[in-house]
Amino acid sequence: MNVLMINGSARSDGCTWTALQEAASVLKQEGIDAETINIGIKPVRDCIGCGKCDGLDNRCIFDDDVVNEILKKAETSDGFIFGTPVYYAHPSGRILSVLDRVFYAGKPLFVHKPGFALVSARRAGTTASFDVLNKYFTISQMPVVSSSYWTVVHGNTPAELKQDKEGLVTVQHAASNLAWLLKCIEAGKKAGINPPENKKLAWTNFIR
């Protein structure tokens, strides 16, 4: 089993990455591989709602950034962790642009796979950012993995973040819960318990 972790920070070794590696360490102890994709500093396009991804087999029409790499790895991933720093009390614009396109083009790759959001901040804006990222899980029939508190960590540098013992423990607990749920899902499949096949969505416009 393997978990795909997305670092929504421009820094490949900053606070968000440090918190993700804390989760990866716990997963490794549970026998689960974890891979981190750093969104990095290269330009990332927004989703423009063109619909051209329809018929592209879970790929975005724009193939000049990290989105299709994530979608390719999502095919064989069993779970996910989305990490973001807080900018102006909100997730980074980079991770939102990436996740908008990832889920618009490749939602079937995420359905019924568990995951959780992880937020890093110097001070405020964590719960608002946490709420935004969780919406990607809950619109895609993904089990949201909980912890003993919200999975947020504080610090302006990786060294400061490591002093947030409570925050790191919540990350560890979430990673342990993710590992447990992944093993439960695997055991369920072996026992013939498969995810439900839900009906096609119905669209209702409120202005007629």
Side-chain angles (χ1 to χ4, degrees), residues 3 7 18 34 36 52 59 69 78 91 136 143 158 164 184 194-195:
V3 169
N7 177 11
T18 300
T36 306
K52 297 296 184 180
R59 295 292 187 272
E69 177 188 354
D78 302 294
Y136 290 97
D164 181 8
C184 287
N194 295 309

Side-chain angles (χ1 to χ4, degrees), residues 47-174:
C47 180
I48 61 173
C50 66
K52 297 296 184 180
C53 54
D54 187 27
L56 290 183
D57 194 24
N58 298 308
R59 295 292 187 272
C60 179
I61 189 68
F62 298 124
D63 197 25
D64 55 359
D65 56 27
V66 74
V67 166
N68 282 336
E69 177 188 354
I70 292 173
L71 287 169
K72 183 178 180 180
K73 290 183 181 297
E75 291 177 344
T76 55
S77 296
D78 302 294
F80 302 90
I81 304 174
F82 301 151
T84 186
V86 173
Y87 298 152
Y88 292 94
H90 206 255
S92 74
R94 304 181 67 74
I95 195 167
L96 295 183
S97 293
V98 166
L99 292 181
D100 280 356
R101 287 169 53 210
V102 160
F103 278 88
Y104 195 84
K107 181 177 178 179
L109 303 179
F110 296 86
V111 171
H112 296 135
K113 295 180 181 180
F116 67 89
L118 191 161
V119 178
S120 169
R122 184 193 69 83
R123 190 167 178 85
T126 53
T127 53
S129 300
F130 185 69
D131 177 63
V132 171
L133 292 190
N134 278 329
K135 287 182 169 64
Y136 290 97
F137 299 116
T138 56
I139 199 174
S140 304
Q141 303 183 65
M142 299 174 69
V144 181
V145 178
S146 60
S147 183
S148 49
Y149 200 78
W150 299 293
T151 42
V152 301
V153 291
H154 290 86
N156 201 41
T157 65
E160 289 182 1
L161 184 144
K162 290 179 180 178
Q163 298 178 50
D164 181 8
K165 302 300 183 183
E166 181 180 356
L168 291 177
V169 166
T170 64
V171 173
Q172 294 164 5
H173 289 172

